[in-house]
Amino acid sequence: MNAQNLLQQRNQHITKDGVPECQRPTIPGIMSQRACTFYGARWVLAPIKNSLHLVHAPADCAFYGQNVRKKNYMILSTDLVEKDIIFGAARKLEESIVEAAKIFDSYDLVFVYATCTASQIGEDIEWSIKRLKDRVNKILIPVVVPGFSGYSQADGHHIAQRAIANYILKNFKKTGEIENSVNIIGEYNVAGESQAIKRLLEKIGINVICTYTGNCCLSQMEKSVNARLNLLLCRSSGLLLAQFMKERFSIPYMEVSFYGIENTITSLKKIAKFFGKEKAAEIVADEEFSKIKHKIQFFKSKLQGKKAIVLLGASRIGFMTNAFKEAGLEILVCGSQFGCSNDYDIARCILPDSILVDDFNCAEVEEIILRFSPDLFIGGTREWYLSHKFGVPFLVLPQETKPYACFEGFLHLLIDIYKEVFAPVWRLI
């Protein structure tokens, strides 16, 4: 492929009008910022409490998958070597599952992943799991996630959700609705955000049964099928699960966001209306906002008009972008590694004049920084040091400081942005 053809193809993924072409394979030769389907599955499944994670692959995959959202999780590996690739490793897998279940006897769930190598040689982990049904007294869950099973980590999110639905939730029966109860789906408790949302909902009399998957275990999942409502925070990593629970257990779901004051108040009112608690929501919203109103006004006055570039994951470009705009930032470019058309539709409504980019790469990030000279770059760890090399302040997400969700979380967000933009070090450049 020559340079001209490459530029023509990428041109369809970068637009100032409408939405970019998305949900497509990365163009060969491009150094994409995407991750593989295995890592997408880890993003969803790693936080589940009291669960074992065994990767049927060379040790490298386990090493890659142990760190999720900057947190190290215990992960096991069958450590496939050349002999296993040539002659097969079904027996090795079964022995590893039995040994792991024996050593970690108190764990309830065992997730068994098949990545690229195991899938290429035809290892049937589902068959192996069926053979062990009577030998291992745990719920065994196959997660088949070779890199060629999808275009990005988003496909891994979907595979993980189906694994939870088909191998865990299908075993449960609804025993009766629990009054004033919800599940939160697509929330991963970054810096304690699940607790912040839970505390806010409790103030209007709503109890959270289970948070998929940032704060959940097997017993909470079993209880979750009796909830009255599911709150969907992230479409990419939660929509299939919400749809399954609606079909199987007749639990409706509602898309909400707790990032930014506007989103939080709107979501709180929607939830309160469902439960008939409108007055309580109004009182709580007024009380919570009044506590931080003056501080928010100060930081917004300092950040007003600052130019920003936002390059994130999928659903975040919608609900987070609105919070950044509310903070006073002027967003020049907004992009996603693996967004779908719905994500970009939301982003376009919020940012009618901004450039939208799908599946951005390192060369394009450099060009964007040089061309727009932003006051702030908001993105993931991969872009962090590149941004600093060009002398541009950087806010990393997922964050390492405090929760950004709900009322006080928005104040934390403003403080962190302020600290980045006005750090004394930038005066030296």
Side-chain angles (χ1 to χ4, degrees):
M1 183 185 297
N2 61 41
Q4 188 62 36
N5 288 339
L6 178 64
L7 289 172
Q8 286 176 355
Q9 287 196 40
R10 281 302 297 160
N11 188 49
Q12 299 168 11
H13 295 260
I14 305 171
T15 180
K16 197 169 183 179
D17 301 303
V19 299
E21 188 172 302
C22 54
Q23 294 174 290
R24 297 284 186 273
T26 297
I27 298 170
I30 291 289
M31 294 298 290
S32 173
Q33 306 290 70
R34 288 174 170 174
C36 66
T37 50
F38 165 62
Y39 195 76
R42 289 290 297 153
W43 193 262
V44 174
L45 300 175
I48 297 175
K49 296 174 183 176
N50 227 28
S51 63
L52 281 176
H53 299 262
L54 174 65
V55 185
H56 190 41
D60 314 65
C61 288
F63 178 79
Y64 176 53
Q66 69 178 339
N67 189 285
V68 180
R69 298 180 197 87
K70 301 169 189 172
K71 181 179 178 181
N72 277 326
Y73 292 91
M74 183 183 73
I75 191 168
L76 311 175
S77 174
T78 55
D79 187 21
L80 298 185
V81 294
E82 186 177 2
K83 178 184 174 183
D84 303 318
I85 307 305
I86 296 169
F87 297 106
R91 180 180 293 178
K92 188 176 190 179
L93 172 62
E94 292 170 19
E95 289 174 354
S96 297
I97 294 172
V98 171
E99 183 181 2
K102 185 178 180 180
I103 294 171
F104 302 97
D105 184 56
S106 62
Y107 286 70
D108 300 315
L109 307 168
V110 181
F111 291 96
V112 182
Y113 302 82
T115 59
C116 299
T117 307
S119 298
Q120 283 177 326
I121 63 173
E123 292 288 292
D124 190 346
I125 64 169
E126 294 180 358
W127 177 76
S128 294
I129 283 173
K130 286 178 182 176
R131 279 169 50 88
L132 295 174
K133 193 173 181 180
D134 297 328
R135 293 178 61 191
V136 178
N137 189 29
K138 298 184 188 300
I139 299 175
L140 303 177
I141 304 145
V143 187
V144 183
V145 279
F148 49 82
S149 63
Y151 301 145
S152 70
Q153 57 264 55
D155 298 283
H157 297 162
H158 304 157
I159 293 168
Q161 290 172 75
R162 292 190 192 103
I164 293 172
N166 295 332
Y167 290 91
I168 302 177
L169 296 183
K170 265 190 177 179
N171 299 323
F172 302 144
K173 291 184 179 180
K174 191 167 186 171
T175 56
E177 281 189 349
I178 300 172
E179 281 299 308
N180 300 321
S181 63
V182 298
N183 299 313
I184 300 174
I185 300 178
E187 161 53 39
Y188 299 98
N189 201 26
V190 174
E193 288 183 342
S194 295
Q195 280 79 15
I197 296 169
K198 184 179 179 181
R199 285 194 298 269
L200 180 63
L201 294 175
E202 285 174 348
K203 288 180 180 179
I204 64 169
I206 307 298
N207 297 313
V208 178
I209 297 176
C210 183
T211 300
Y212 287 93
T213 56
N215 186 25
C216 73
C217 61
L218 184 62
S219 61
Q220 290 172 321
M221 290 183 190
E222 184 172 9
K223 196 176 177 183
S224 72
V225 303
N226 298 309
R228 283 205 60 201
L229 178 67
N230 282 329
L231 304 180
L232 178 61
L233 270 68
C234 176
R235 290 180 63 90
S236 177
S237 60
L239 180 60
L240 292 181
L241 204 55
Q243 289 174 336
F244 173 83
M245 294 182 78
K246 181 179 180 181
E247 182 180 335
R248 182 88 173 188
F249 305 110
S250 302
I251 305 173
Y253 67 89
M254 177 186 294
E255 293 191 49
V256 296
S257 170
F258 292 97
Y259 295 96
I261 301 298
E262 291 178 9
N263 284 343
T264 301
I265 291 175
T266 301
S267 298
L268 203 60
K269 287 181 177 178
K270 281 170 64 179
I271 298 165
K273 186 177 181 181
F274 180 88
F275 289 99
K277 296 178 178 289
E278 293 95 326
K279 189 63 179 176
E282 191 176 329
I283 293 169
V284 168
D286 289 342
E287 286 180 353
E288 292 295 311
F289 182 58
S290 63
K291 293 176 186 176
I292 56 173
K293 182 178 179 180
H294 296 298
K295 290 181 181 179
I296 284 178
Q297 288 174 344
F298 168 78
F299 287 110
K300 286 177 70 173
S301 69
K302 295 293 183 181
L303 299 174
Q304 193 66 41
K306 294 294 182 183
K307 297 181 294 181
I309 293 169
V310 179
L311 300 178
L312 299 171
S315 299
R316 277 182 174 268
I317 64 170
F319 54 75
M320 288 299 290
T321 298
N322 195 56
F324 297 138
K325 192 174 179 181
E326 190 179 354
L329 300 178
E330 180 188 350
I331 299 172
L332 305 176
V333 180
C334 180
S336 168
Q337 295 169 347
F338 51 92
C340 66
S341 56
N342 182 267
D343 299 319
Y344 288 116
D345 283 334
I346 295 170
R348 177 57 73 201
C349 290
I350 299 168
L351 307 169
D353 301 317
S354 301
I355 294 173
L356 299 184
V357 185
D358 178 70
D359 188 19
F360 51 87
N361 58 69
C362 188
E364 289 170 352
V365 171
E366 287 189 27
E367 180 66 24
I368 288 168
I369 293 172
L370 291 171
R371 184 170 295 193
F372 293 97
S373 300
D375 299 302
L376 178 68
F377 194 132
I378 301 169
T381 309
R382 289 186 179 93
E383 298 82 43
W384 193 346
Y385 300 104
L386 178 64
S387 178
H388 279 179
K389 285 177 182 178
F390 285 98
V392 177
F394 192 89
L395 181 72
V396 65
L397 291 175
Q399 73 274 17
E400 300 174 319
T401 52
K402 295 180 179 180
Y404 289 164
C406 304
F407 294 94
E408 193 171 357
F410 184 61
L411 178 59
H412 296 154
L413 174 63
L414 292 178
I415 292 171
D416 284 352
I417 294 175
Y418 177 85
K419 285 179 179 179
E420 293 295 336
V421 173
F422 293 98
V425 67
W426 305 122
R427 299 175 196 161
L428 304 176
I429 297 175

mmCIF file with all atom_site columns, all heavy atoms in Angstrom, residues 38-39 42 55 58-68 72-73 75-77:
data_model
loop_
_atom_site.group_PDB
_atom_site.id
_atom_site.type_symbol
_atom_site.label_atom_id
_atom_site.label_alt_id
_atom_site.label_comp_id
_atom_site.label_asym_id
_atom_site.label_entity_id
_atom_site.label_seq_id
_atom_site.pdbx_PDB_ins_code
_atom_site.Cartn_x
_atom_site.Cartn_y
_atom_site.Cartn_z
_atom_site.occupancy
_atom_site.B_iso_or_equiv
_atom_site.pdbx_formal_charge
_atom_site.auth_seq_id
_atom_site.auth_comp_id
_atom_site.auth_asym_id
_atom_site.auth_atom_id
_atom_site.pdbx_PDB_model_num
ATOM 1   N N   . PHE A 1 38 ? -8.269  -10.285 24.108 1.00 0.00 ? 38 PHE A N   1
ATOM 2   C CA  . PHE A 1 38 ? -7.957  -10.856 25.429 1.00 0.00 ? 38 PHE A CA  1
ATOM 3   C C   . PHE A 1 38 ? -7.897  -9.757  26.484 1.00 0.00 ? 38 PHE A C   1
ATOM 4   O O   . PHE A 1 38 ? -8.485  -9.887  27.568 1.00 0.00 ? 38 PHE A O   1
ATOM 5   C CB  . PHE A 1 38 ? -6.615  -11.608 25.368 1.00 0.00 ? 38 PHE A CB  1
ATOM 6   C CG  . PHE A 1 38 ? -6.022  -11.927 26.712 1.00 0.00 ? 38 PHE A CG  1
ATOM 7   C CD1 . PHE A 1 38 ? -6.691  -12.751 27.607 1.00 0.00 ? 38 PHE A CD1 1
ATOM 8   C CD2 . PHE A 1 38 ? -4.789  -11.405 27.088 1.00 0.00 ? 38 PHE A CD2 1
ATOM 9   C CE1 . PHE A 1 38 ? -6.142  -13.043 28.863 1.00 0.00 ? 38 PHE A CE1 1
ATOM 10  C CE2 . PHE A 1 38 ? -4.231  -11.685 28.322 1.00 0.00 ? 38 PHE A CE2 1
ATOM 11  C CZ  . PHE A 1 38 ? -4.908  -12.507 29.212 1.00 0.00 ? 38 PHE A CZ  1
ATOM 12  N N   . TYR A 1 39 ? -7.234  -8.664  26.170 1.00 0.00 ? 39 TYR A N   1
ATOM 13  C CA  . TYR A 1 39 ? -7.126  -7.590  27.156 1.00 0.00 ? 39 TYR A CA  1
ATOM 14  C C   . TYR A 1 39 ? -8.489  -6.937  27.397 1.00 0.00 ? 39 TYR A C   1
ATOM 15  O O   . TYR A 1 39 ? -8.792  -6.507  28.512 1.00 0.00 ? 39 TYR A O   1
ATOM 16  C CB  . TYR A 1 39 ? -6.106  -6.540  26.721 1.00 0.00 ? 39 TYR A CB  1
ATOM 17  C CG  . TYR A 1 39 ? -5.711  -5.636  27.867 1.00 0.00 ? 39 TYR A CG  1
ATOM 18  C CD1 . TYR A 1 39 ? -4.837  -6.086  28.844 1.00 0.00 ? 39 TYR A CD1 1
ATOM 19  C CD2 . TYR A 1 39 ? -6.249  -4.358  28.001 1.00 0.00 ? 39 TYR A CD2 1
ATOM 20  C CE1 . TYR A 1 39 ? -4.487  -5.289  29.918 1.00 0.00 ? 39 TYR A CE1 1
ATOM 21  C CE2 . TYR A 1 39 ? -5.905  -3.550  29.066 1.00 0.00 ? 39 TYR A CE2 1
ATOM 22  C CZ  . TYR A 1 39 ? -5.020  -4.015  30.024 1.00 0.00 ? 39 TYR A CZ  1
ATOM 23  O OH  . TYR A 1 39 ? -4.683  -3.229  31.090 1.00 0.00 ? 39 TYR A OH  1
ATOM 24  N N   . ARG A 1 42 ? -10.143 -9.091  29.876 1.00 0.00 ? 42 ARG A N   1
ATOM 25  C CA  . ARG A 1 42 ? -9.542  -8.865  31.196 1.00 0.00 ? 42 ARG A CA  1
ATOM 26  C C   . ARG A 1 42 ? -10.082 -7.582  31.825 1.00 0.00 ? 42 ARG A C   1
ATOM 27  O O   . ARG A 1 42 ? -10.290 -7.507  33.038 1.00 0.00 ? 42 ARG A O   1
ATOM 28  C CB  . ARG A 1 42 ? -8.013  -8.775  31.066 1.00 0.00 ? 42 ARG A CB  1
ATOM 29  C CG  . ARG A 1 42 ? -7.330  -10.074 30.747 1.00 0.00 ? 42 ARG A CG  1
ATOM 30  C CD  . ARG A 1 42 ? -7.379  -11.033 31.911 1.00 0.00 ? 42 ARG A CD  1
ATOM 31  N NE  . ARG A 1 42 ? -6.656  -10.498 33.061 1.00 0.00 ? 42 ARG A NE  1
ATOM 32  C CZ  . ARG A 1 42 ? -6.919  -10.812 34.325 1.00 0.00 ? 42 ARG A CZ  1
ATOM 33  N NH1 . ARG A 1 42 ? -7.914  -11.626 34.613 1.00 0.00 ? 42 ARG A NH1 1
ATOM 34  N NH2 . ARG A 1 42 ? -6.206  -10.289 35.306 1.00 0.00 ? 42 ARG A NH2 1
ATOM 35  N N   . VAL A 1 55 ? -4.808  -18.565 32.111 1.00 0.00 ? 55 VAL A N   1
ATOM 36  C CA  . VAL A 1 55 ? -4.628  -18.271 30.686 1.00 0.00 ? 55 VAL A CA  1
ATOM 37  C C   . VAL A 1 55 ? -3.940  -19.458 30.022 1.00 0.00 ? 55 VAL A C   1
ATOM 38  O O   . VAL A 1 55 ? -2.805  -19.811 30.369 1.00 0.00 ? 55 VAL A O   1
ATOM 39  C CB  . VAL A 1 55 ? -3.788  -16.993 30.490 1.00 0.00 ? 55 VAL A CB  1
ATOM 40  C CG1 . VAL A 1 55 ? -3.716  -16.634 29.007 1.00 0.00 ? 55 VAL A CG1 1
ATOM 41  C CG2 . VAL A 1 55 ? -4.383  -15.836 31.274 1.00 0.00 ? 55 VAL A CG2 1
ATOM 42  N N   . PRO A 1 58 ? 1.164   -19.196 26.043 1.00 0.00 ? 58 PRO A N   1
ATOM 43  C CA  . PRO A 1 58 ? 2.506   -18.927 26.560 1.00 0.00 ? 58 PRO A CA  1
ATOM 44  C C   . PRO A 1 58 ? 2.444   -17.905 27.692 1.00 0.00 ? 58 PRO A C   1
ATOM 45  O O   . PRO A 1 58 ? 1.486   -17.133 27.791 1.00 0.00 ? 58 PRO A O   1
ATOM 46  C CB  . PRO A 1 58 ? 3.243   -18.362 25.335 1.00 0.00 ? 58 PRO A CB  1
ATOM 47  C CG  . PRO A 1 58 ? 2.504   -18.911 24.157 1.00 0.00 ? 58 PRO A CG  1
ATOM 48  C CD  . PRO A 1 58 ? 1.074   -18.982 24.582 1.00 0.00 ? 58 PRO A CD  1
ATOM 49  N N   . ALA A 1 59 ? 3.470   -17.883 28.525 1.00 0.00 ? 59 ALA A N   1
ATOM 50  C CA  . ALA A 1 59 ? 3.446   -17.051 29.736 1.00 0.00 ? 59 ALA A CA  1
ATOM 51  C C   . ALA A 1 59 ? 3.288   -15.567 29.426 1.00 0.00 ? 59 ALA A C   1
ATOM 52  O O   . ALA A 1 59 ? 2.801   -14.804 30.268 1.00 0.00 ? 59 ALA A O   1
ATOM 53  C CB  . ALA A 1 59 ? 4.724   -17.276 30.540 1.00 0.00 ? 59 ALA A CB  1
ATOM 54  N N   . ASP A 1 60 ? 3.672   -15.159 28.207 1.00 0.00 ? 60 ASP A N   1
ATOM 55  C CA  . ASP A 1 60 ? 3.621   -13.738 27.855 1.00 0.00 ? 60 ASP A CA  1
ATOM 56  C C   . ASP A 1 60 ? 2.216   -13.154 27.985 1.00 0.00 ? 60 ASP A C   1
ATOM 57  O O   . ASP A 1 60 ? 2.050   -12.007 28.422 1.00 0.00 ? 60 ASP A O   1
ATOM 58  C CB  . ASP A 1 60 ? 4.111   -13.520 26.419 1.00 0.00 ? 60 ASP A CB  1
ATOM 59  C CG  . ASP A 1 60 ? 5.400   -14.274 26.126 1.00 0.00 ? 60 ASP A CG  1
ATOM 60  O OD1 . ASP A 1 60 ? 5.346   -15.516 26.150 1.00 0.00 ? 60 ASP A OD1 1
ATOM 61  O OD2 . ASP A 1 60 ? 6.428   -13.631 25.875 1.00 0.00 ? 60 ASP A OD2 1
ATOM 62  N N   . CYS A 1 61 ? 1.204   -13.928 27.587 1.00 0.00 ? 61 CYS A N   1
ATOM 63  C CA  . CYS A 1 61 ? -0.179  -13.421 27.643 1.00 0.00 ? 61 CYS A CA  1
ATOM 64  C C   . CYS A 1 61 ? -0.602  -13.132 29.084 1.00 0.00 ? 61 CYS A C   1
ATOM 65  O O   . CYS A 1 61 ? -1.256  -12.129 29.359 1.00 0.00 ? 61 CYS A O   1
ATOM 66  C CB  . CYS A 1 61 ? -1.138  -14.419 27.006 1.00 0.00 ? 61 CYS A CB  1
ATOM 67  S SG  . CYS A 1 61 ? -1.023  -14.507 25.208 1.00 0.00 ? 61 CYS A SG  1
ATOM 68  N N   . ALA A 1 62 ? -0.225  -14.029 29.988 1.00 0.00 ? 62 ALA A N   1
ATOM 69  C CA  . ALA A 1 62 ? -0.570  -13.815 31.399 1.00 0.00 ? 62 ALA A CA  1
ATOM 70  C C   . ALA A 1 62 ? 0.131   -12.572 31.934 1.00 0.00 ? 62 ALA A C   1
ATOM 71  O O   . ALA A 1 62 ? -0.460  -11.781 32.682 1.00 0.00 ? 62 ALA A O   1
ATOM 72  C CB  . ALA A 1 62 ? -0.193  -15.037 32.221 1.00 0.00 ? 62 ALA A CB  1
ATOM 73  N N   . PHE A 1 63 ? 1.384   -12.399 31.535 1.00 0.00 ? 63 PHE A N   1
ATOM 74  C CA  . PHE A 1 63 ? 2.126   -11.212 31.974 1.00 0.00 ? 63 PHE A CA  1
ATOM 75  C C   . PHE A 1 63 ? 1.427   -9.945  31.475 1.00 0.00 ? 63 PHE A C   1
ATOM 76  O O   . PHE A 1 63 ? 1.272   -8.965  32.210 1.00 0.00 ? 63 PHE A O   1
ATOM 77  C CB  . PHE A 1 63 ? 3.559   -11.273 31.451 1.00 0.00 ? 63 PHE A CB  1
ATOM 78  C CG  . PHE A 1 63 ? 4.388   -10.074 31.818 1.00 0.00 ? 63 PHE A CG  1
ATOM 79  C CD1 . PHE A 1 63 ? 4.941   -9.954  33.085 1.00 0.00 ? 63 PHE A CD1 1
ATOM 80  C CD2 . PHE A 1 63 ? 4.604   -9.054  30.897 1.00 0.00 ? 63 PHE A CD2 1
ATOM 81  C CE1 . PHE A 1 63 ? 5.695   -8.839  33.433 1.00 0.00 ? 63 PHE A CE1 1
ATOM 82  C CE2 . PHE A 1 63 ? 5.349   -7.943  31.234 1.00 0.00 ? 63 PHE A CE2 1
ATOM 83  C CZ  . PHE A 1 63 ? 5.899   -7.829  32.503 1.00 0.00 ? 63 PHE A CZ  1
ATOM 84  N N   . TYR A 1 64 ? 0.979   -9.970  30.227 1.00 0.00 ? 64 TYR A N   1
ATOM 85  C CA  . TYR A 1 64 ? 0.295   -8.823  29.626 1.00 0.00 ? 64 TYR A CA  1
ATOM 86  C C   . TYR A 1 64 ? -1.036  -8.537  30.320 1.00 0.00 ? 64 TYR A C   1
ATOM 87  O O   . TYR A 1 64 ? -1.416  -7.390  30.516 1.00 0.00 ? 64 TYR A O   1
ATOM 88  C CB  . TYR A 1 64 ? 0.077   -9.097  28.136 1.00 0.00 ? 64 TYR A CB  1
ATOM 89  C CG  . TYR A 1 64 ? -0.715  -8.049  27.388 1.00 0.00 ? 64 TYR A CG  1
ATOM 90  C CD1 . TYR A 1 64 ? -0.361  -6.705  27.431 1.00 0.00 ? 64 TYR A CD1 1
ATOM 91  C CD2 . TYR A 1 64 ? -1.815  -8.408  26.617 1.00 0.00 ? 64 TYR A CD2 1
ATOM 92  C CE1 . TYR A 1 64 ? -1.076  -5.742  26.733 1.00 0.00 ? 64 TYR A CE1 1
ATOM 93  C CE2 . TYR A 1 64 ? -2.532  -7.463  25.914 1.00 0.00 ? 64 TYR A CE2 1
ATOM 94  C CZ  . TYR A 1 64 ? -2.154  -6.135  25.970 1.00 0.00 ? 64 TYR A CZ  1
ATOM 95  O OH  . TYR A 1 64 ? -2.875  -5.191  25.280 1.00 0.00 ? 64 TYR A OH  1
ATOM 96  N N   . GLY A 1 65 ? -1.727  -9.601  30.721 1.00 0.00 ? 65 GLY A N   1
ATOM 97  C CA  . GLY A 1 65 ? -3.071  -9.428  31.267 1.00 0.00 ? 65 GLY A CA  1
ATOM 98  C C   . GLY A 1 65 ? -3.154  -9.232  32.762 1.00 0.00 ? 65 GLY A C   1
ATOM 99  O O   . GLY A 1 65 ? -4.257  -9.078  33.303 1.00 0.00 ? 65 GLY A O   1
ATOM 100 N N   . GLN A 1 66 ? -2.008  -9.216  33.465 1.00 0.00 ? 66 GLN A N   1
ATOM 101 C CA  . GLN A 1 66 ? -2.087  -9.121  34.924 1.00 0.00 ? 66 GLN A CA  1
ATOM 102 C C   . GLN A 1 66 ? -2.379  -7.695  35.400 1.00 0.00 ? 66 GLN A C   1
ATOM 103 O O   . GLN A 1 66 ? -2.957  -7.496  36.461 1.00 0.00 ? 66 GLN A O   1
ATOM 104 C CB  . GLN A 1 66 ? -0.791  -9.614  35.557 1.00 0.00 ? 66 GLN A CB  1
ATOM 105 C CG  . GLN A 1 66 ? 0.423   -8.729  35.326 1.00 0.00 ? 66 GLN A CG  1
ATOM 106 C CD  . GLN A 1 66 ? 1.669   -9.236  36.021 1.00 0.00 ? 66 GLN A CD  1
ATOM 107 O OE1 . GLN A 1 66 ? 1.566   -10.012 36.987 1.00 0.00 ? 66 GLN A OE1 1
ATOM 108 N NE2 . GLN A 1 66 ? 2.835   -8.834  35.544 1.00 0.00 ? 66 GLN A NE2 1
ATOM 109 N N   . ASN A 1 67 ? -1.998  -6.698  34.628 1.00 0.00 ? 67 ASN A N   1
ATOM 110 C CA  . ASN A 1 67 ? -2.202  -5.304  35.039 1.00 0.00 ? 67 ASN A CA  1
ATOM 111 C C   . ASN A 1 67 ? -3.399  -4.717  34.309 1.00 0.00 ? 67 ASN A C   1
ATOM 112 O O   . ASN A 1 67 ? -3.393  -4.593  33.083 1.00 0.00 ? 67 ASN A O   1
ATOM 113 C CB  . ASN A 1 67 ? -0.945  -4.484  34.753 1.00 0.00 ? 67 ASN A CB  1
ATOM 114 C CG  . ASN A 1 67 ? -1.033  -3.086  35.356 1.00 0.00 ? 67 ASN A CG  1
ATOM 115 O OD1 . ASN A 1 67 ? -1.736  -2.228  34.856 1.00 0.00 ? 67 ASN A OD1 1
ATOM 116 N ND2 . ASN A 1 67 ? -0.309  -2.869  36.444 1.00 0.00 ? 67 ASN A ND2 1
ATOM 117 N N   . VAL A 1 68 ? -4.431  -4.381  35.068 1.00 0.00 ? 68 VAL A N   1
ATOM 118 C CA  . VAL A 1 68 ? -5.656  -3.814  34.492 1.00 0.00 ? 68 VAL A CA  1
ATOM 119 C C   . VAL A 1 68 ? -5.997  -2.543  35.260 1.00 0.00 ? 68 VAL A C   1
ATOM 120 O O   . VAL A 1 68 ? -6.116  -2.557  36.479 1.00 0.00 ? 68 VAL A O   1
ATOM 121 C CB  . VAL A 1 68 ? -6.833  -4.808  34.577 1.00 0.00 ? 68 VAL A CB  1
ATOM 122 C CG1 . VAL A 1 68 ? -8.096  -4.196  33.974 1.00 0.00 ? 68 VAL A CG1 1
ATOM 123 C CG2 . VAL A 1 68 ? -6.481  -6.112  33.859 1.00 0.00 ? 68 VAL A CG2 1
ATOM 124 N N   . ASN A 1 72 ? -2.453  -4.548  39.703 1.00 0.00 ? 72 ASN A N   1
ATOM 125 C CA  . ASN A 1 72 ? -1.996  -5.910  39.429 1.00 0.00 ? 72 ASN A CA  1
ATOM 126 C C   . ASN A 1 72 ? -2.936  -6.939  40.050 1.00 0.00 ? 72 ASN A C   1
ATOM 127 O O   . ASN A 1 72 ? -3.264  -6.854  41.235 1.00 0.00 ? 72 ASN A O   1
ATOM 128 C CB  . ASN A 1 72 ? -0.578  -6.128  39.978 1.00 0.00 ? 72 ASN A CB  1
ATOM 129 C CG  . ASN A 1 72 ? 0.478   -5.630  39.010 1.00 0.00 ? 72 ASN A CG  1
ATOM 130 O OD1 . ASN A 1 72 ? 0.302   -5.714  37.794 1.00 0.00 ? 72 ASN A OD1 1
ATOM 131 N ND2 . ASN A 1 72 ? 1.569   -5.116  39.532 1.00 0.00 ? 72 ASN A ND2 1
ATOM 132 N N   . TYR A 1 73 ? -3.372  -7.895  39.231 1.00 0.00 ? 73 TYR A N   1
ATOM 133 C CA  . TYR A 1 73 ? -4.220  -8.992  39.689 1.00 0.00 ? 73 TYR A CA  1
ATOM 134 C C   . TYR A 1 73 ? -3.459  -10.305 39.571 1.00 0.00 ? 73 TYR A C   1
ATOM 135 O O   . TYR A 1 73 ? -2.607  -10.461 38.692 1.00 0.00 ? 73 TYR A O   1
ATOM 136 C CB  . TYR A 1 73 ? -5.491  -9.083  38.838 1.00 0.00 ? 73 TYR A CB  1
ATOM 137 C CG  . TYR A 1 73 ? -6.447  -7.927  39.012 1.00 0.00 ? 73 TYR A CG  1
ATOM 138 C CD1 . TYR A 1 73 ? -6.357  -6.809  38.195 1.00 0.00 ? 73 TYR A CD1 1
ATOM 139 C CD2 . TYR A 1 73 ? -7.441  -7.958  39.986 1.00 0.00 ? 73 TYR A CD2 1
ATOM 140 C CE1 . TYR A 1 73 ? -7.236  -5.742  38.340 1.00 0.00 ? 73 TYR A CE1 1
ATOM 141 C CE2 . TYR A 1 73 ? -8.325  -6.906  40.141 1.00 0.00 ? 73 TYR A CE2 1
ATOM 142 C CZ  . TYR A 1 73 ? -8.214  -5.805  39.317 1.00 0.00 ? 73 TYR A CZ  1
ATOM 143 O OH  . TYR A 1 73 ? -9.088  -4.758  39.461 1.00 0.00 ? 73 TYR A OH  1
ATOM 144 N N   . ILE A 1 75 ? -2.840  -13.800 38.290 1.00 0.00 ? 75 ILE A N   1
ATOM 145 C CA  . ILE A 1 75 ? -3.249  -14.492 37.072 1.00 0.00 ? 75 ILE A CA  1
ATOM 146 C C   . ILE A 1 75 ? -2.357  -15.715 36.890 1.00 0.00 ? 75 ILE A C   1
ATOM 147 O O   . ILE A 1 75 ? -1.158  -15.673 37.173 1.00 0.00 ? 75 ILE A O   1
ATOM 148 C CB  . ILE A 1 75 ? -3.185  -13.527 35.857 1.00 0.00 ? 75 ILE A CB  1
ATOM 149 C CG1 . ILE A 1 75 ? -3.847  -14.144 34.632 1.00 0.00 ? 75 ILE A CG1 1
ATOM 150 C CG2 . ILE A 1 75 ? -1.768  -13.099 35.561 1.00 0.00 ? 75 ILE A CG2 1
ATOM 151 C CD1 . ILE A 1 75 ? -4.077  -13.138 33.507 1.00 0.00 ? 75 ILE A CD1 1
ATOM 152 N N   . LEU A 1 76 ? -2.930  -16.829 36.465 1.00 0.00 ? 76 LEU A N   1
ATOM 153 C CA  . LEU A 1 76 ? -2.207  -18.087 36.291 1.00 0.00 ? 76 LEU A CA  1
ATOM 154 C C   . LEU A 1 76 ? -2.044  -18.391 34.810 1.00 0.00 ? 76 LEU A C   1
ATOM 155 O O   . LEU A 1 76 ? -2.811  -17.907 33.975 1.00 0.00 ? 76 LEU A O   1
ATOM 156 C CB  . LEU A 1 76 ? -2.965  -19.219 36.983 1.00 0.00 ? 76 LEU A CB  1
ATOM 157 C CG  . LEU A 1 76 ? -3.422  -18.963 38.424 1.00 0.00 ? 76 LEU A CG  1
ATOM 158 C CD1 . LEU A 1 76 ? -4.257  -20.125 38.930 1.00 0.00 ? 76 LEU A CD1 1
ATOM 159 C CD2 . LEU A 1 76 ? -2.219  -18.739 39.331 1.00 0.00 ? 76 LEU A CD2 1
ATOM 160 N N   . SER A 1 77 ? -1.063  -19.217 34.493 1.00 0.00 ? 77 SER A N   1
ATOM 161 C CA  . SER A 1 77 ? -0.806  -19.559 33.097 1.00 0.00 ? 77 SER A CA  1
ATOM 162 C C   . SER A 1 77 ? -0.457  -21.034 32.955 1.00 0.00 ? 77 SER A C   1
ATOM 163 O O   . SER A 1 77 ? 0.214   -21.607 33.825 1.00 0.00 ? 77 SER A O   1
ATOM 164 C CB  . SER A 1 77 ? 0.341   -18.702 32.545 1.00 0.00 ? 77 SER A CB  1
ATOM 165 O OG  . SER A 1 77 ? 0.701   -19.116 31.241 1.00 0.00 ? 77 SER A OG  1
#
